[in-house]
Amino acid sequence: MGIFSRKNDTVDTAVATLPVDPALAALTGDYTIDPAHSSIGFTVRHAMVTNVRGTFAEHEGTLTLDGSNPGASTASIEVKIASIDTGIGDRDGHLRSGDFFDAEQFPLMTFRSTEAAQLGGDKYRVTGDLTIKDVTKPLSIDLEFNGTATDPYGNERVGFEGSAEILRSDWGLTWNAALETGGVMVSDKVKLNFDISAIKNAA
């Protein structure tokens, strides 16, 4: 089921005039991301030999899905940097410090979508502006639409999961330490992971 518009330089007018899929149109509306059932995290190589995984426990966001005009769908997410959790308190404190995120001066990481396209089936790519500290750069997130459901409390939900890779140095996160055996302590490449459950707002 398509949520976002498919990029295609050739417009098929016969397809364009087809009626809107009722199931797709029924998804139209505003949604609030449910942080209790969503996860925003990252994976980064440490000391060249292993991966460190972490999450941001506090985040919020909204989706606007337009089933009649899917290209108008949007997403907005805000993440509280101070909520970073890698399971090691000292490491989390270092990540919050001026060496990395400087959470006191820059408390939020934000993403605002600017474009979305269907890659095929339930796979999508959402492009937007990612802001970390005082740097804003474009980011594309590959997502899979997991479907819809009505939960036991009567909430209409949609689900997405996906990932993106960034170079942290592009956002000014350049701290590192050299290893005696060669290489560096922390990889520049970071994988961002998204597992999103959003509840449709009451009309």
Side-chain angles (χ1 to χ4, degrees):
M1 179 187 300
I3 296 298
F4 301 107
S5 60
R6 181 190 296 274
K7 273 188 175 179
N8 194 329
D9 294 333
T10 302
V11 177
D12 187 332
T13 55
V15 172
T17 57
L18 289 175
V20 175
D21 180 349
L24 177 59
L27 298 180
T28 297
D30 296 325
Y31 294 75
T32 299
I33 292 175
D34 176 10
H37 296 93
S38 300
S39 175
I40 297 176
F42 61 90
T43 305
V44 61
R45 182 77 71 179
H46 178 262
M48 309 294 290
V49 297
T50 190
N51 289 320
V52 168
R53 294 175 174 81
T55 61
F56 295 93
E58 297 181 45
H59 52 83
E60 60 184 32
T62 59
L63 308 175
T64 296
L65 305 182
D66 189 332
S68 300
N69 181 20
S73 299
T74 61
S76 177
I77 299 173
E78 292 188 350
V79 175
K80 292 187 178 180
I81 295 298
S83 71
I84 195 167
D85 182 5
T86 65
I88 304 294
D90 288 345
R91 180 167 59 204
D92 295 343
H94 191 200
L95 290 169
R96 295 183 189 107
S97 76
D99 283 346
F100 284 94
F101 288 106
D102 195 359
E104 184 173 347
Q105 185 174 356
F106 304 103
L108 295 178
M109 173 172 64
T110 65
F111 177 78
R112 304 283 187 267
S113 69
T114 57
E115 184 181 356
Q118 186 176 11
L119 303 180
D122 287 331
K123 298 185 183 299
Y124 302 86
R125 179 167 294 151
V126 178
T127 299
D129 295 323
L130 177 67
T131 300
I132 303 175
K133 300 176 76 170
D134 56 351
V135 178
T136 300
K137 288 185 174 292
L139 174 70
S140 292
I141 304 171
D142 288 342
L143 294 166
E144 183 171 357
F145 176 51
N146 289 337
T148 66
T150 301
D151 68 24
Y153 303 100
N155 298 311
E156 296 182 53
R157 292 179 178 268
V158 294
F160 297 88
E161 61 180 314
S163 63
E165 286 191 350
I166 67 171
L167 298 179
R168 60 188 178 90
S169 59
D170 287 345
W171 280 266
L173 304 176
T174 57
W175 183 93
N176 228 320
L179 300 174
E180 291 184 5
T181 53
V184 293
M185 181 70 73
V186 185
S187 171
D188 191 23
K189 183 184 294 184
V190 180
K191 182 178 181 180
L192 303 177
N193 305 300
F194 303 87
D195 197 344
I196 302 298
S197 177
I199 298 173
K200 192 172 187 179
N201 299 345

